Amino acid sequence: MIKIRNLRYIYPDKRIGLDGISLNIKEDITGIIGPNGAGKTTLLLHLNGVLQPTQGSLTVDDIKVNPKSMSKIRKKVGIVFQNPDDMLFSPTVYEDVAFGPTNLKMNNIHARVHLALEQVGMAEYETQNPHHMSLGQKKRVSLAAVIVMEPEYIIFDEPTTHLDPQGKREIIKLILSLNTKRIISTHDMNLLKYCNEIHILNNGKLVHSSHKVNKATLKEYGLF
């Protein structure tokens, strides 16, 4: 379980990003939604230590998220960014996916990479340059680069953004096939309906939590 207690984050320009958020994340698929600027991405970046809180605390399976625990936390929590170009920087797909396990000196790296690419349907592209691929293919490679680390939690920041209908269906199918806990920030109602619990943020605050949200609640916060 991920436990978040009184989490506050103030940006360097003094803007409040998160304002006293407390919640538990324990379901198989958890949705984090809210209007633009609500604090969704800021919250997600705290969950694997990319950002450190101004105040409050986070624990992942009783491990406190702080600079001293980063290696443990990032083995447990992987993040797939909204823009795959923020994750892909190597000349080949294989090298991008192998980067993490190589850096951590994991065993059987070649087998791990091949299995992760097979899982996302990209095994035949190992030698290709990811920067020449379609957005949907890049998103798959980005997911493989996280899967290969075998995390217990995977965070998705707007995974279906800018994809065509077929691409959205394929990414949703991949997300649903994963045997990990998934935390998803999304505006995509087709993906939201699969979430076991949904938390709504607004102006950096947690304003609603439930197992399902209705249209009236979504309209209240400008989400429908």
Side-chain angles (χ1 to χ4, degrees), residues 158 160-161 168 172 185-193:
E158 299 287 356
T160 60
T161 297
K168 289 182 180 182
I172 290 173
S185 168
T186 184
H187 288 99
D188 189 337
M189 296 300 111
N190 288 323
L191 181 52
L192 195 62
K193 68 185 180 184

Side-chain angles (χ1 to χ4, degrees), residues 90-107:
S90 300
T92 67
V93 165
Y94 181 91
E95 290 172 274
D96 262 322
V97 179
F99 179 82
T102 300
N103 196 42
L104 292 180
K105 299 180 180 178
M106 299 173 76
N107 296 322

